[in-house]
Amino acid sequence: MDRAEEKSEPAAASRSEWAALWGLLLGAFMGFIDIFIVNVASPSIQDEMNASFADIQLVPAGYTLAYGAGLVTGGRLGDRFGRRRVFAVGTLAFGLTSAACAAAQSPGVLVGARVLQGLAAAVMLPQILALVQVVFRRPGERARAIGIYGAVIGSGVVAGQILGGLLIRWDVAGLGWRAVFLVNLPLCGVVLAGTGAVVREPGKRTPTRLDLGGVLLLAPGLFGLLRPVVVGGDRGWTAPLAVELSAAVLLLILFIVWELRVTRSGGVPLLPPRLFRQRGFSLGPPTALFFYGVNGAFVFLLAFYLQRAAGLSPLAASLEFVPMAVLTSIASMLCGRLEARFGRQVVPMGGILMAAGLLAVWAVLETVADPGGQALPLVPGLLVYGFGGGIVATSLIGRALAGVAPEDAGAASGGILTAVQASEALGVAGIGALFGALTETGGYVHGLRVCVIVLTGLSLATSGLLHFPVPRPSTGR
């Protein structure tokens, strides 16, 4: 009996379930374009609002950090109230907060609205990966679904950059950069209509109590870790900033203690400590820190550099990213086949390709003296970087969840996605602060050259972590 059960294969996903995946991925597409569409608009926002570089860094970083801080909670809300229902509520909130971003009249209000928008995304987007884990129980189908998810991320990079550049260039109704937020409103309408028609909740919900103590410790701890890095890098470190950073570290330590206490008392922790006994999951956060920290910082800094130093328009700067993003999407779709044919070393090779692409970018910065003539020579390096990044991005989440017990899948998904988004925010903040300091003394070219070398080293560290073997994925029951 046991052997027969072990050999039995889970049921294949139906056509309606594949259709539901595409409806959900439209929501993911919207969430990801909103990260990259703002990168192109950053210089325009800075000019109109007379904002500092630290304020501009917080526009993307505030969104990604709030998103990361709320993901585990968003996943738990889906477990308790139903993933389709929570997805719809998050989508509606995302549209309302997008309108608030467009209406902002000061940097502080814009950053605050972006934080709320990130929290809305945290409610909306974790339901997608949770439903993938539940619906696609066959390893091959699950890998294919995650590959499509990765391709959607790459498409979001392309669409975000191009759409942002077009909207600013067209200056629709005199809205300027505000149009990059208002474009979310019709997309939210389409997502709500589509998911209401095709998404069905599989199985029964498992009611759980929300770990409010964990939420109240984790969210301010993560945000307090980022803000001092951004503000201190731009305006100099002060005693209050040092106190804020120390308090954030203390909150995160208390979060770990609290989760252990909730576990011992028989409760349901926000992030079960037993997950960290799984090799795949325990390697997930540091790998995400290197990979997504590199990617978030590189895309943000290059978009800023192409407009400020190379003198490109927002549209021209956005088009520079198109070949890279297309290769990222292609690599995401091909990753499973490449790994099946050439073995596990394909994944760490992705990190090496990223490093090679960054070195090619550095060589252009070093040899082409005029920034205005660097756009075309940068493309080959961006292509190599994008292909390697597509391999890593598709594999990282699946590897982190491999071997996780079915009952921990929701918490594990939220935990690894939290690490992903917090890493992007910290990458933009930390490497961005380094870039800001270097440009003051040596100019934009010098600042980007040094940052690219740092990012190359972090890409090699990503490859090193990806060499560790992980358990085979769990099929669930």
Side-chain angles (χ1 to χ4, degrees):
M1 176 68 70
D2 292 339
R3 290 183 179 179
E5 288 181 356
E6 288 176 0
K7 292 181 180 180
S8 64
E9 190 174 20
S14 66
R15 290 185 179 181
S16 63
E17 288 169 334
W18 281 108
L21 174 68
W22 287 107
L24 291 168
L25 290 181
L26 181 58
F29 177 80
M30 179 177 63
F32 278 104
I33 67 168
D34 221 66
I35 298 173
F36 296 98
I37 200 172
V38 174
N39 285 339
V40 177
S42 293
S44 300
I45 297 172
Q46 185 180 31
D47 291 340
E48 181 178 323
M49 290 189 167
N50 194 27
S52 68
F53 188 71
D55 290 330
I56 292 303
Q57 284 178 281
L58 278 174
V59 174
Y63 174 91
T64 54
L65 184 67
Y67 173 35
L71 274 166
V72 177
T73 303
R76 288 296 196 192
L77 290 173
D79 290 338
R80 182 164 187 176
F81 298 107
R83 297 182 180 98
R84 185 177 70 166
R85 180 184 301 173
V86 173
F87 180 81
V89 170
T91 302
L92 179 61
F94 192 84
L96 294 175
T97 52
S98 295
C101 290
Q105 299 297 318
S106 68
V109 173
L110 177 59
V111 170
R114 283 287 281 172
V115 169
L116 293 176
Q117 190 185 35
L119 291 175
V123 173
M124 175 178 66
L125 295 178
Q127 316 311 326
I128 299 170
L129 191 57
L131 285 167
V132 167
Q133 292 291 109
V134 172
V135 173
F136 301 98
R137 293 184 295 162
R138 290 187 176 185
E141 290 185 337
R142 186 178 297 172
R144 180 186 171 193
I146 293 176
I148 296 172
Y149 180 86
V152 166
I153 294 174
S155 300
V157 176
V158 175
Q161 302 288 352
I162 295 178
L163 186 58
L166 285 173
L167 289 173
I168 293 172
R169 181 175 179 176
W170 291 340
D171 193 19
V172 180
L175 292 169
W177 58 265
R178 300 177 192 278
V180 306
F181 296 109
L182 292 175
V183 75
N184 290 329
L185 301 185
L187 290 176
C188 284
V190 173
V191 171
L192 285 171
T195 54
V198 300
V199 176
R200 296 291 180 266
E201 185 82 12
K204 296 181 179 180
R205 297 195 302 269
T206 303
T208 57
R209 294 186 61 184
L210 186 62
D211 178 12
L212 290 176
V215 173
L216 295 175
L217 289 170
L218 180 62
L222 286 173
F223 193 85
L225 191 68
L226 170 71
R227 205 188 79 87
V229 174
V230 175
V231 177
D234 184 68
R235 303 172 186 172
W237 283 90
T238 62
L241 287 178
V243 171
E244 183 178 351
L245 183 62
S246 300
V249 173
L250 178 60
L251 285 174
L252 294 176
I253 293 173
L254 290 175
F255 170 74
I256 296 172
V257 174
W258 176 265
E259 296 299 274
L260 291 171
R261 178 183 176 184
V262 171
T263 301
R264 286 195 299 267
S265 65
V268 181
L270 195 65
L271 191 62
R274 63 178 173 271
L275 288 174
F276 292 93
R277 293 195 291 269
Q278 296 282 347
R279 171 175 282 186
F281 186 86
S282 63
L283 288 173
T287 308
L289 177 62
F290 288 133
F291 172 71
Y292 285 98
V294 167
N295 200 57
F298 180 60
V299 172
F300 174 77
L301 292 181
L302 187 59
F304 197 88
Y305 174 86
L306 289 172
Q307 294 181 62
R308 283 289 188 252
L312 300 185
S313 67
L315 177 58
S318 68
L319 291 174
E320 184 80 4
F321 291 92
V322 172
M324 180 186 83
V326 169
L327 261 291
T328 298
S329 296
I330 292 173
S332 297
M333 298 294 289
L334 293 178
C335 181
R337 296 180 183 178
L338 292 173
E339 193 171 4
R341 181 172 181 179
F342 298 107
R344 290 179 171 231
Q345 293 308 307
V346 166
V347 178
M349 184 58 66
I352 294 175
L353 288 175
M354 289 174 58
L358 288 169
L359 285 176
V361 168
W362 175 86
V364 172
L365 298 173
E366 187 73 22
T367 57
V368 180
D370 179 19
Q374 293 172 349
L376 188 58
L378 285 172
V379 171
L382 295 179
L383 288 173
V384 176
Y385 174 87
F387 192 84
I391 292 174
V392 175
T394 302
S395 305
L396 193 153
I397 294 176
R399 288 167 62 89
L401 298 178
V404 171
E407 61 269 21
D408 290 333
S413 299
I416 195 61
L417 289 176
T418 297
V420 166
Q421 297 306 315
S423 299
E424 284 195 351
L426 289 172
V428 171
I431 305 298
L434 174 63
F435 176 76
L438 291 169
T439 55
E440 289 186 1
T441 58
Y444 287 114
V445 177
H446 170 69
L448 189 59
R449 274 201 306 249
V450 173
C451 288
V452 166
I453 291 297
V454 173
L455 295 175
T456 300
L458 295 176
S459 296
L460 292 174
T462 302
S463 177
L465 287 171
L466 290 170
H467 271 91
F468 286 93
V470 296
R472 294 181 61 84
S474 173
T475 59
R477 299 292 301 172

